[in-house]
Amino acid sequence: MSDLDYLGQRHKQLLRDLAEIKAPLHAAMIAERATGTTQNDIRERSGYKTIQQVRVILGEAQPSKRSGKAAE
């Protein structure tokens, strides 16, 4: 296995690990939104920098076409 293959596999694993870590936060954000909490309040408490990131997680917006995911 070349170094590039190894790094590619490692990158994919790290992204999966990060998704597992963030899943509870995202679930909490969705639950908060269901109670009527504003997107801005959720953004402030979650630590995300933009409303667009929050909207994508909540399913209220599509990921950016440029990156294919919410920017972090």
Side-chain angles (χ1 to χ4, degrees), residues 12-26:
K12 287 178 186 176
Q13 183 60 47
L14 289 171
L15 289 176
R16 284 191 293 270
D17 292 348
L18 182 60
E20 286 180 24
I21 291 167
K22 287 188 174 187
L25 170 64
H26 294 178

Side-chain angles (χ1 to χ4, degrees), residues 1-14:
M1 173 185 304
S2 73
D3 289 344
L4 190 56
D5 291 336
Y6 171 77
L7 289 175
Q9 288 180 355
R10 184 71 180 129
H11 180 255
K12 287 178 186 176
Q13 183 60 47
L14 289 171

